[in-house]
Amino acid sequence: MDRFNPHMLALARDARGLTQPDLANAIPIGQGTLSKYETGVNVPPEDFVAVVAKILEYPRSFFFQPDRPYGFPPFHYRKRKKLSAKALGRIVAEMNIRRMHVRKMLPSYPIRTNRFIPEIDRDEYTSDKKGRLDTEDVARSVREAWMVPSGPIENMVSLLEENGGIVIPCDFGTDLLDAMSQRIDGMPVLFFVNMHAPADRVRHTLAHELGHMVLHTIALQDDAAMEAEADEFAGAFLLPADEIRPQLRRFDLRHLANMKGYWKVSMAAIAVRADRLNLITAYQSRMFWMEMSRLGYRKREPNEPAREYPAFLQEMVRHFAKGLGYTREQMAMLLDLLPGEFDEMYDPEVFSMPAPTPVSHLRVVK
Amino acid sequence: MGAVMSLEAVMSSFDPALLDDFDQICRLSHARYRRYPAADLLEHDGRAAAACTYCHMYEETTRRWAERAGIKPLDIRGRKVWLIGSDFVVRLKKTDEDGRSRNYPTKQDMEYDRGASLPGLPAPAIRLTVGYLLSPTQTDIIRVQVSKPRGRVIEWRAAIVPASPASGGKRWQDVTRQRGFG
């Protein structure tokens, strides 16, 4: 017999951006009653579940999932402070729902890589610079471990997905947060990314999140220090020092735009990197930011690189549709969604596409 | 010295198809340059970028106007210009907002701008510069413009309005820098 999961009630409410009083008024019941259902003090009757499922537009089964929601990752504290409780609740809910989807699909999906996203134990990490973890060194090690050739990273999203991550496109409904990442035992590292952000920012943000996953999984630090380190890591990962140093002999908008075209990283990120590496003077840096403000480029830069789209999640859905014979309705049922919302979250066209021709990889040679 | 004609008189006398050509020559050539591999663009300075774009502009112009009646290419001691009818001579340049080319002008350039007589160039023809103005990052064309130099001064300049339904039939716009009061 399924048991009602109070966490799922709160999760569904948060996902719809509703507060307790909002939902209580919509049902209508007293907020106290709703609160007791959400905290598990009381078990709601079956007719309540039917009503709330209708209001929140989830199937009844959603509220009986045995999973538990995870909170906000320990970093992004400053960003979290700026977000309203409602926005924060919605984002965390979306993250959890997406994670639950991945967890449900993973057992039937063969993962084709044994690569992984490393995590560094600061106490055991040895670097050339004594007594201090060097993010440049860590970024170089990760590039080496993943056999990334020198030069620009062609596709940051694919790189993460090829190395044990899953990039999940999300709509956070705010531009205060571009991405979040989560490392949970027994699952690939999940990167939730706001796909409405400019493509160069998405790349940098993913590298920043990778920095958190590599540097801050085992030991946490002060939030500002973690953010600075993740940012340094992103710069070093996307723009290796030994390669950009000779390129930054010139420092003007024209050259930065060309560098952006090559590295697929924003001009702003290149300037920050140049500043960190002491390749430009304080005056050059100041003039650059003044010019960027004057031209309105601090909000949106020109020459956005091509957008990178996650494929892993879509591949999973395709595998279920074509490899395992799931219908759209069965997929929605598996993920505890109504078919309409399933269509919004995943590409329903995979169900009408022809099945891929099986390719034989190996054969016996006599 | 070249004949005196107002901006309106000059721009109105151009066939709209010719204005389209000016616009397209600059835009296609710049777009072609921007399609160079990113690693190559990275090694070019502004001078190399302008030189490459110019080469594409020259070839594009030659292709477009090879069979065009009333347009004649001229080579004045290495300076490539086109005689349009008998009234105008145009050259192609990368220009700044005012319609000036940024590089250090040669003696011949200065004479061209002054309207001085040059061997092989019909004296009464009005000398014009068809130029393109780039965005601050020099990755996009802001506008293609026709300017009329007179010595070091730019007498007037007109932006070509690219042909589109939104242009409402207007093909050029006066963008001459206005003098301040006082």
Side-chain angles (χ1 to χ4, degrees), chain A residues 291 294-295, chain B residues 7 93-103 129-136 138 140-148 153-160 173-178:
Chain A
E291 185 75 349
R294 190 182 65 79
L295 295 166
Chain B
L7 178 156
K93 291 294 265 183
K94 174 190 168 190
T95 56
D96 65 8
E97 202 177 348
D98 288 326
R100 286 191 189 87
S101 75
R102 292 272 181 98
N103 58 355
T129 301
V130 172
Y132 60 96
L133 171 67
L134 293 177
S135 64
Q138 308 211 0
D140 303 289
I141 286 187
I142 292 177
R143 66 173 179 243
V144 175
Q145 57 192 7
V146 180
S147 55
K148 165 75 176 74
V153 176
I154 297 296
E155 230 170 71
W156 53 257
R157 60 183 194 272
I160 295 171
Q173 187 171 0
D174 184 0
V175 287
T176 309
R177 193 182 284 277
Q178 301 298 305

Side-chain angles (χ1 to χ4, degrees), chain A residues 132-147:
Chain A
R132 183 179 167 266
L133 186 136
D134 181 17
T135 45
E136 292 281 336
D137 206 25
V138 175
R140 192 170 47 244
S141 305
V142 175
R143 277 182 78 116
E144 280 170 12
W146 288 354
M147 291 185 282

Side-chain angles (χ1 to χ4, degrees), chain B residues 43-91:
Chain B
E43 293 183 357
H44 286 189
D45 59 8
R47 184 194 54 79
C52 291
T53 307
Y54 179 80
C55 290
H56 293 311
M57 284 165 73
Y58 176 72
E59 292 300 328
E60 180 68 28
T61 310
T62 306
R63 272 192 296 274
R64 279 179 181 242
W65 292 349
E67 304 295 324
R68 183 75 68 90
I71 300 182
K72 186 179 163 193
L74 300 174
D75 191 328
I76 314 294
R77 293 187 300 204
R79 157 73 57 220
K80 291 171 177 69
V81 294
W82 286 265
L83 180 64
I84 297 175
S86 55
D87 296 333
F88 308 107
V89 181
V90 298
R91 65 174 174 180

Side-chain angles (χ1 to χ4, degrees), chain A residues 3-158:
Chain A
R3 281 187 59 189
F4 177 81
N5 184 344
H7 295 307
M8 292 301 132
L9 175 57
L11 186 66
R13 179 176 57 70
D14 280 341
R16 300 303 183 217
L18 296 177
T19 59
Q20 267 189 3
D22 291 341
L23 183 58
N25 288 339
I27 293 174
I29 53 167
Q31 192 193 336
T33 311
L34 179 62
S35 171
K36 285 170 192 161
Y37 293 156
E38 280 193 7
T39 52
V41 171
N42 288 344
V43 177
E46 184 55 40
D47 58 342
F48 168 85
V49 179
V51 170
V52 92
K54 194 171 179 200
I55 291 171
L56 296 176
E57 297 179 332
Y58 281 107
R60 179 191 166 277
S61 59
F62 184 92
F63 303 92
F64 293 85
Q65 298 176 85
D67 217 317
R68 74 175 180 89
Y70 287 77
F72 213 81
F75 11 88
H76 308 304
Y77 179 69
R78 278 175 300 167
K79 284 179 183 169
R80 193 172 45 183
K81 270 204 301 192
K82 288 184 197 166
L83 286 165
S84 66
K86 200 186 238 186
L88 189 63
R90 218 183 129 253
I91 292 168
V92 174
E94 170 145 13
M95 248 173 60
N96 275 295
I97 290 170
R98 293 287 200 159
R99 177 187 50 74
M100 282 152 50
H101 291 175
V102 173
R103 198 189 280 284
K104 283 173 189 166
M105 288 193 276
L106 267 179
S108 306
Y109 185 76
I111 292 194
R112 297 185 192 88
T113 181
N114 56 0
R115 295 188 183 181
F116 60 96
I117 292 171
E119 46 196 302
I120 295 219
D121 186 344
R122 310 176 76 89
D123 296 332
E124 295 188 1
Y125 187 79
T126 51
S127 89
D128 298 341
K129 293 178 182 170
K130 285 178 188 168
R132 183 179 167 266
L133 186 136
D134 181 17
T135 45
E136 292 281 336
D137 206 25
V138 175
R140 192 170 47 244
S141 305
V142 175
R143 277 182 78 116
E144 280 170 12
W146 288 354
M147 291 185 282
V148 178
S150 58
I153 288 171
E154 275 309 309
N155 190 321
M156 188 65 205
V157 172
S158 301

Side-chain angles (χ1 to χ4, degrees), chain A residues 300-361:
Chain A
R300 193 146 199 141
E301 288 187 7
N303 313 310
E304 201 178 316
R307 194 164 277 283
E308 296 168 7
Y309 293 98
F312 194 101
L313 208 54
Q314 229 32 60
E315 280 297 320
M316 276 177 127
V317 175
R318 190 169 294 122
H319 173 74
F320 272 77
K322 296 298 163 194
L324 306 179
Y326 275 64
T327 63
R328 169 177 164 264
E329 288 71 23
Q330 286 170 331
M331 276 308 290
M333 196 187 295
L334 170 73
L335 304 181
D336 292 300
L337 292 174
L338 293 178
E341 188 164 15
F342 170 78
D343 290 350
E344 282 172 26
M345 293 177 101
Y346 301 97
D347 181 10
E349 288 190 3
V350 295
F351 295 96
S352 53
M353 286 176 189
T357 323
V359 180
S360 62
H361 297 286

